[in-house]
Amino acid sequence: MPAPETAPPLAAEVDAATRSLDRSLRRLHLTRTDRRAVVADVRADLLEAATQRVPPEALLGPDVDAFAREAVASGGYVAQPRDSARSVVAGLLGLGVGLALGFWLVFWVAWPFFTSRFDLVGHHPEAGLTVAVSGLTLAALLGAVVTLAVALRGRPAAGATLVRVVPMLVLVSVGVVGVGVPLLGAEVAWPVSDEVVVATAALVLVLLVTAPVVAARRWALAASAARGSTSTATA
């Protein structure tokens, strides 16, 4: 006798539905770990339903995005904003504003004050360079931190981002002062034009700000997501 016909597994439909769900969860900015957990749970339900010839559409409904939002809300997951670009733009904007203000403070306020009391050019050239570079670096650092704090106000893990980014930027500032003062004092004859030197220095400065801001933001969001997942699992 021929074997009795069995219910089709609907494996292809289940795979397509879970891929669609994963794309919806990506658009909700769910972390990879949380996204995999949601997809695994839903996939298990879809496979179980498929054994009863129930198609995925019957469980997910016509709007997969709405199902994804409901799954995130009911599971207590927290969507993580992808705002690294926003953070970088804010940091660089603050860097520019800080440099402009720092230039004014250093050369119109601090420099006249110190030169009226010390011969920074004749007897203490290294001290003069240190004052100038340190003042500009400090102003740029403060500008970047302040604008970043304003840009992240009210967003997830804003405080944690600042806690992480400040030490990174401080290390960058120390490195800039430590490298910049000797280079300027040595009056190195660069084999390229002054414009190329300035452009290269500006690009390096942008990278030195961008890298810590992106790293701190992603680190803070990942730590926040991990704490949220632990709290959800404990509850």
Side-chain angles (χ1 to χ4, degrees), residues 102 106-107 110-111 114-115 118-138 173-174 176-188:
V106 168
F107 293 104
W111 191 263
F114 282 108
T115 53
F118 308 99
D119 185 6
L120 296 181
V121 178
H123 292 84
H124 307 285
E126 295 82 3
L129 283 175
T130 302
V131 169
V133 175
S134 300
L136 289 174
T137 303
L138 178 60
S173 301
V174 171
V176 168
V177 174
V179 174
V181 171
L183 283 179
L184 292 174
E187 297 182 355
V188 178

Side-chain angles (χ1 to χ4, degrees), residues 92-189:
L92 293 178
L93 178 62
L95 176 72
V97 174
L99 282 175
L101 292 176
F103 186 87
W104 179 79
L105 288 173
V106 168
F107 293 104
W108 289 87
V109 178
W111 191 263
F113 174 81
F114 282 108
T115 53
S116 65
R117 290 162 176 77
F118 308 99
D119 185 6
L120 296 181
V121 178
H123 292 84
H124 307 285
E126 295 82 3
L129 283 175
T130 302
V131 169
V133 175
S134 300
L136 289 174
T137 303
L138 178 60
L141 170 65
L142 291 176
V145 172
V146 169
T147 54
L148 182 60
V150 173
L152 295 178
R153 181 183 299 171
R155 302 180 74 84
T161 301
L162 295 176
V163 168
R164 288 165 171 79
V165 79
V166 168
M168 295 182 185
L169 291 178
V170 168
L171 290 177
V172 168
S173 301
V174 171
V176 168
V177 174
V179 174
V181 171
L183 283 179
L184 292 174
E187 297 182 355
V188 178

Side-chain angles (χ1 to χ4, degrees), residues 23-38:
R23 288 193 295 270
S24 296
L25 294 173
R26 285 177 182 270
R27 287 192 290 270
L28 294 176
H29 299 162
L30 209 62
T31 63
R32 180 181 301 179
T33 302
D34 291 345
R35 192 172 68 245
R36 287 178 175 176
V38 174

Side-chain angles (χ1 to χ4, degrees), residues 50-71:
T51 61
Q52 305 298 323
R53 301 192 181 206
V54 178
E57 294 80 5
L59 275 71
L60 300 182
D63 190 346
V64 178
D65 290 338
F67 180 88
R69 289 192 295 270
E70 183 179 350

